[in-house]
Amino acid sequence: MEWLGKRGVAKEQIGQLVMLLQKDYYPELTLDECVTNVEAVLSKREVQNAVLTGIQLDMLAEKGELLPPLQDMIWYDEGLYGCDEVLALSIVNVYGSIGMTNFGYVDKFKPGVLKKLNEKNGKDVHTFLDDIVGAIAASASSRIAHRKQAEREAMQEALGSEEGKQ
């Protein structure tokens, strides 16, 4: 969270993306619950490694410290440079295939904080960060979906065993 914060991203902003992805499926969902799931995603070592790697590559590009042609590819966030999405997918893969569709959605439409991160101002580079933030949100959304499904199944099982007793 420290490095995300230094780059201008708060966990509440990621939680808002999670809310956007899940509100139609779980209208009772709260921002606090979304943020809790963001924190759970960020507690995973694989996620932390991807976050640190991507942020540092963005920072090196801001300083012009990468070798050509990589420097220009990251500086300009070239469309055919897909390593930023591949790194983000390493986060999404922790939570299953539903995360991939959520990631694809936020990566294409860039809602919320992703729109700000994707703006080119000639100073800040967020080539990796926008995808990483989208992947964290997609993963937290997947985590919620998996947990809500497990809750439904447990409820159905409990109801089934109650009916069997009667």
Side-chain angles (χ1 to χ4, degrees), residues 28-44:
E28 76 285 354
L29 190 64
T30 66
L31 182 59
D32 285 343
E33 190 176 356
C34 293
V35 169
T36 297
N37 281 277
V38 167
E39 291 168 343
V41 169
L42 287 168
S43 74
K44 298 258 185 211

Side-chain angles (χ1 to χ4, degrees), residues 21-157:
L21 289 167
Q22 292 299 311
K23 67 180 178 188
D24 291 340
Y25 305 103
Y26 308 107
E28 76 285 354
L29 190 64
T30 66
L31 182 59
D32 285 343
E33 190 176 356
C34 293
V35 169
T36 297
N37 281 277
V38 167
E39 291 168 343
V41 169
L42 287 168
S43 74
K44 298 258 185 211
R45 171 83 51 203
E46 307 97 306
V47 174
Q48 294 168 8
N49 291 342
V51 170
L52 292 174
T53 300
I55 286 175
Q56 290 201 19
L57 285 167
D58 283 346
M59 291 171 67
L60 289 169
E62 282 176 358
K63 295 176 185 176
E65 294 180 359
L66 297 171
L67 297 173
L70 185 59
Q71 175 63 40
D72 283 346
M73 287 188 281
I74 294 176
W75 178 265
Y76 294 109
D77 195 4
E78 290 183 6
L80 294 177
Y81 179 76
C83 294
D84 47 338
E85 281 87 6
V86 171
L87 183 64
L89 289 175
S90 73
I91 295 171
V92 172
N93 285 335
V94 173
Y95 288 94
S97 61
I98 188 173
M100 199 165 305
T101 57
N102 284 328
F103 174 69
Y105 177 81
V106 296
D107 188 45
K108 176 154 180 65
F109 293 106
K110 307 279 190 219
V113 68
L114 298 180
K115 181 178 182 184
K116 181 187 95 168
L117 292 174
N118 209 42
E119 292 172 355
K120 311 292 183 262
N121 63 12
K123 181 181 79 148
D124 300 314
V125 174
H126 298 125
T127 298
F128 283 88
L129 185 59
D130 70 321
D131 294 312
I132 286 168
V133 168
I136 293 166
S139 296
S141 297
S142 299
R143 188 175 191 277
I144 289 169
H146 285 284
R147 290 183 182 277
K148 295 286 187 185
Q149 180 65 31
E151 288 172 13
R152 271 196 303 270
E153 289 170 358
M155 183 85 75
Q156 288 172 343
E157 189 176 305

